[in-house]
């Protein structure tokens, strides 16, 4: 099954993405990475004969893979076109999930709503302005 799965993955990768990398995963499946679209597809044997489990996910910063966002079981007898359709549907579902999820670190709101100048900052600004005006007046009156 592994050799057959690799051939199917190679054909599928050519249909889906021009640029891709393929490798075997720990479970004996095949992973197709599309770095330019920051997505991955995993093909692995499923429970029944002639069936494969298709999983898709994102590629994170640094090249690590995020957990699968969508998965389905597909029949190998359907052919590469049908399998490509399943993959495209799963990739679309994963993209929708990624865009509706809140970005990491943005869950809590900061108590500050905008940039505000505090009262101590205004005191410093007034002191500097007063010193400048004082120096100007002293210089023009000739006492310096």
């Amino acid at each position: 099954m592994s050799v057959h799965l690799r051939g199917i993955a190679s054909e599928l990768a050519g249909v889906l993405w021009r640029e891709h990398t393929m490798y075997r995963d720990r479970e004996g499946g095949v992973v197709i990475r599309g770095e330019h679209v920051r997505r991955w597809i995993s093909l692995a044997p499923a429970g029944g004969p002639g069936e494969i489990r298709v999983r898709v996910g994102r590629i994170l910063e640094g090249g690590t893979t995020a957990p699968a966002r969508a998965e389905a079981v597909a029949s190998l007898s359907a052919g590469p076109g049908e399998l490509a359709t399943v993959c495209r549907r799963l990739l679309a579902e994963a993209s929708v999930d990624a865009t509706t999820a809140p970005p990491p670190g943005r869950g809590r709101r900061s108590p500050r709503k905008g940039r505000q100048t505090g009262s101590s900052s205004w005191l410093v600004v007034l002191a500097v302005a007063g010193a400048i005006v004082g120096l100007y007046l002293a210089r023009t009156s000739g006492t310096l």
Side-chain angles (χ1 to χ4, degrees), residues 2 4 7 9 11-12 17 39 47 52 97 103 108-110 114 116 121 127 135 138:
S2 163
H4 184 61
E11 191 173 346
L12 180 63
W17 298 320
R39 298 284 184 259
I52 59 170
D97 288 346
R108 283 182 263 138
R109 265 204 165 163
S110 172
Q116 297 177 355
S121 297
L135 284 174

Side-chain angles (χ1 to χ4, degrees), residues 11 13-14 24 42 54 59 62 64 67 72 79-80 91 93 97 104-105 114 122 126-127 132-133 143:
E11 191 173 346
R24 281 188 24 193
S42 170
V54 181
I59 299 174
T64 60
L91 288 166
E93 287 176 17
D97 288 346
W122 281 114
L126 288 174
I132 291 173
V133 169
T143 57

Side-chain angles (χ1 to χ4, degrees), residues 72-115:
V73 174
S75 173
L76 290 175
S77 62
E82 182 77 21
L83 192 55
T85 302
V86 169
C87 289
R88 285 185 183 113
R89 180 179 53 83
L90 291 174
L91 288 166
E93 287 176 17
S95 293
V96 168
D97 288 346
T99 57
T100 57
R106 291 285 184 117
R108 283 182 263 138
R109 265 204 165 163
S110 172
R112 291 180 65 181
K113 292 188 179 178
R115 200 150 183 85

Side-chain angles (χ1 to χ4, degrees), residues 18-38:
R18 281 182 267 160
E19 300 174 27
H20 59 273
T21 305
M22 288 184 11
Y23 59 91
R24 281 188 24 193
D25 66 4
R26 293 181 200 138
E27 300 157 359
V30 179
V31 177
I32 308 165
R33 288 175 64 106
E35 298 288 339
H36 63 293
V37 291
R38 306 194 56 76

Side-chain angles (χ1 to χ4, degrees), residues 119-129:
S119 57
S120 59
S121 297
W122 281 114
L123 287 175
V124 170
V125 169
L126 288 174
V128 170

